[in-house]
Amino acid sequence: RRAPPPTMVLLRQVLVALLTFAPGVAAFNPSTRSGWARPMTMSATAEKTTIDPRLAEIRGAQQKLMAPLTKAAPAGSSQERFVNIVGDFMAEYAESAYTAGLSVDQYVGIIGGLLSNVGKNLKSPHKFEAFHQAIRGPDFDFYQFGNDFVDTLMITEESTTEGADKLAKIDDLVAKGDNVILLANHQTEADPQILRLILENAGKDA
């Protein structure tokens, strides 16, 4: 199971907003840290509701990450709508990160990595060749980033996988030297990471 269409649409809107609001994005640096979107979880008593300190810390980090963008787009400015889109996404992702058990450092690493790399690639766009090999370093591991980003949104304990029996047939064909081509009638941005998670859970090399 994966993040629903609204979540992925929101992510697309975030990327469009960041592309439009490039100056503020370029200022982020995650290294200077001083399914469905998961529901917010709180511990409550009959008298009052208390917020887990880790959740409060993640929310605080989200507000600090947003501060430069918010400051650069005052109310009524042409950039305000884009900043609000980014803020809504980051707030929702903060709740997902908390429920997924992430620490504040992990949340900052993922969101800060997203923002900083958008900024860097706006300044110096990466040129993709006809055959692209995963970039695993030296400065940033994009493959691991993609996995961490999507894993936060996955609720694996409530997810099911259909067609896993086909994996054994694929293994058999490859072992015989045959080629296997997988065709899909649609694809979302998160599909490669979700497929990797399915394969890992099935004990396969992703």
Side-chain angles (χ1 to χ4, degrees):
R1 196 158 88 177
R2 67 189 70 184
T7 301
M8 299 312 299
V9 169
L10 181 56
L11 177 56
R12 294 190 189 101
Q13 293 176 330
V14 168
L15 295 177
V16 171
L18 293 177
L19 289 171
T20 306
F21 200 64
V25 173
F28 287 104
N29 183 354
S31 64
T32 58
R33 152 75 178 120
S34 357
W36 267 239
R38 295 169 179 268
M40 180 177 65
T41 303
M42 295 183 180
S43 59
T45 65
E47 298 179 356
K48 63 179 181 179
T49 300
T50 59
I51 299 178
D52 187 306
R54 181 169 58 85
L55 175 57
E57 193 173 12
I58 290 176
R59 286 178 176 173
Q62 177 257 325
Q63 294 172 0
K64 288 181 180 179
L65 286 168
M66 277 299 301
L69 289 176
T70 303
K71 183 178 180 180
S77 70
S78 60
Q79 306 292 356
E80 183 183 15
R81 182 172 68 90
F82 297 107
V83 172
N84 288 338
I85 291 173
V86 176
D88 289 345
F89 166 76
M90 289 175 61
E92 180 178 326
Y93 198 87
E95 306 300 323
S96 298
Y98 167 74
T99 309
L102 270 63
S103 68
V104 65
D105 286 331
Q106 290 173 310
Y107 170 76
V108 170
I110 294 173
I111 293 298
L114 171 66
L115 297 175
S116 64
N117 278 287
V118 168
K120 290 177 182 176
N121 280 279
L122 284 170
K123 289 184 176 181
S124 180
H126 178 78
K127 183 179 180 180
F128 287 90
E129 302 296 337
F131 174 77
H132 175 70
Q133 190 168 8
I135 300 175
R136 304 299 305 268
D139 300 323
F140 194 80
D141 189 335
F142 285 90
Y143 174 79
Q144 188 59 50
F145 164 77
N147 292 338
D148 293 340
F149 185 93
V150 172
D151 284 358
T152 304
L153 300 173
M154 295 289 292
I155 309 178
T156 55
E157 63 273 16
E158 298 180 11
S159 301
T160 58
T161 300
E162 298 179 1
D165 55 302
K166 302 297 189 299
L167 296 176
K169 186 176 182 179
I170 291 174
D171 285 341
D172 182 57
L173 290 170
V174 172
K176 294 178 179 178
D178 290 328
N179 293 318
V180 177
I181 300 175
L182 303 179
L183 301 177
N185 63 358
H186 73 284
Q187 182 175 342
T188 68
E189 291 84 346
D191 280 357
Q193 288 76 30
I194 294 172
L195 180 59
R196 183 268 317 168
L197 185 62
I198 291 173
L199 292 173
E200 287 184 354
N201 289 341
K204 304 295 183 181
D205 183 4

